């Protein structure tokens, strides 16, 4: 039987989070952002003064780390709880993104995160967003989408998200940062960013968030549910 996951994968700032959140609301099911997992690991490393490329130190840190998705006290979607704390928006700080990509390239980190993601989708239909959901985490996902947009549109979208870029950021600097991170995400040895063969491809460059939602809902209806 196909798993109970609707997977949305794609490169940085491609509109995955907006699409995933909107789709989850439309279907009345939870939304899970898996980038937060890697961001939380990079965040904790930062707090401890550990480099996100220092594999030995990260291994020791993870041995002493408890991460899970939990619904915050004020409700909403399951969010990352690390060592009893919900870092929330702190995970979206500009300096965290590259660190998240660094830790995400390490095989033992991905082994650590795999079960956490699978547990988060146990026994319920969820929308899950990331880089490898349809290829590695849930290769049998019920529906799979691969969402992208042109580098310029993605840079503009990221710039429009307050607090996620450095104060002096420009379209070109943000596009360069995103391109660098995508390159690392596409070229890592474990679970690289790539479109699953059976994913529906959506280039949202010229689409509104509403257009993207409609396209996804149409696919799901054609698939016989929702
Ligand atoms: O929001 P944005 O697209 O900038 O990034 P994110 O989804 O929060 O992911 C941050 C980083 O985590 C990515 O650059 C990937 O390296 C990593 N990631 C991953 O490897 N696998 C996932 N399923 C989700 C994120």
């Amino acid at each position: 039987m196909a798993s109970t996951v609707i997977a949305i994968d794609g490169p940085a700032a491609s509109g995955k989070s907006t699409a995933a959140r909107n789709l989850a609301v439309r279907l009345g099911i939870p939304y899970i952002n898996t980038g937060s997992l890697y961001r939380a690991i990079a965040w904790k490393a930062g707090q401890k003064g550990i480099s996100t490329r220092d594999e030995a130190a990260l291994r020791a840190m993870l041995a002493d780390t408890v991460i899970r998705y939990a619904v915050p006290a004020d409700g909403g979607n399951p969010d990352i709880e690390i060592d009893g704390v919900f870092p929330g928006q702190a995970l979206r700080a500009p300096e965290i993104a590259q660190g998240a990509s660094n830790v995400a390239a390490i095989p033992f980190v991905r082994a650590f995160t795999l079960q956490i993601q699978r547990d988060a989708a146990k026994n319920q239909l969820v929308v899950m967003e990331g880089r490898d959901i349809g290829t590695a985490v849930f290769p049998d996902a019920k529906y799979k989408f691969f969402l992208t947009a042109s580098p310029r549109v993605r840079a503009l979208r990221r710039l429009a998200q307050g607090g996620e870029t450095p104060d002096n950021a420009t379209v070109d600097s943000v596009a360069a940062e995103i391109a660098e991170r995508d390159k690392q995400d596409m070229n890592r040895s474990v679970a690289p960013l790539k479109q699953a063969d059976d994913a529906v491809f959506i280039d949202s460059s010229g689409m509104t968030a509403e257009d993207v939602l409609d396209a996804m809902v149409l696919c799901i209806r054609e698939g016989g549910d929702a």
Side-chain angles (χ1 to χ4, degrees):
M1 196 186 93
S3 81
T4 55
V5 167
I6 299 174
I8 304 180
D9 290 307
S14 56
K16 299 183 305 291
S17 300
T18 303
R21 205 175 286 116
N22 288 346
L23 183 60
V25 169
R26 176 71 66 90
L27 301 179
I29 60 177
Y31 151 62
I32 292 173
N33 176 325
T34 62
S36 304
L37 257 177
Y38 302 95
R39 285 174 180 265
I41 294 168
W43 175 78
K44 180 171 177 182
Q47 306 257 307
K48 300 234 163 253
I50 293 171
S51 160
T52 51
R53 296 195 190 274
D54 184 340
E55 298 197 14
L58 288 170
R59 191 186 280 278
M61 185 189 95
L62 285 187
D64 188 29
T65 300
V66 179
I67 306 188
R68 61 174 191 141
Y69 283 95
V71 176
D74 55 358
N77 286 300
D79 201 1
I80 282 293
E81 187 189 39
I82 178 164
D83 299 333
V85 174
F86 287 94
Q89 268 305 108
L91 300 184
R92 302 302 310 181
E95 66 277 10
I96 300 281
Q98 186 60 43
S101 179
N102 294 345
V103 301
I106 302 172
F108 70 77
V109 171
R110 299 204 81 85
F112 178 86
T113 56
L114 190 61
Q115 197 56 45
I116 298 170
Q117 294 167 90
R118 291 188 174 154
D119 286 347
K122 237 179 213 159
N123 310 323
Q124 57 176 346
L125 188 61
V126 300
V127 179
M128 192 173 273
E129 170 227 324
R131 301 290 187 291
D132 61 336
I133 308 306
T135 52
V137 182
F138 288 103
D140 59 347
K142 200 169 170 67
Y143 297 100
K144 298 182 189 179
F145 297 97
F146 191 85
L147 190 59
T148 191
S150 73
R152 189 180 156 75
V153 166
R154 292 195 279 130
L156 287 168
R157 286 180 183 162
R158 182 50 41 101
L159 265 176
Q161 283 167 313
E164 296 206 14
T165 47
D167 289 343
N168 57 353
T170 62
V171 179
D172 285 346
S173 71
V174 175
E177 181 273 317
I178 287 174
E180 183 58 36
R181 189 147 58 92
D182 286 347
K183 193 167 130 204
Q184 177 160 291
D185 290 347
M186 287 187 291
N187 290 302
R188 66 186 175 215
S189 60
V190 199
L193 165 65
K194 69 164 193 262
Q195 183 179 347
D197 292 339
D198 52 350
V200 174
F201 177 85
I202 300 176
D203 181 341
S204 71
S205 302
M207 296 167 82
T208 64
E210 192 62 26
D211 292 338
V212 173
L213 175 62
D214 289 345
M216 290 179 162
V217 170
L218 192 67
C219 281
I220 292 171
R221 289 224 174 96
E222 282 170 356
D225 301 81

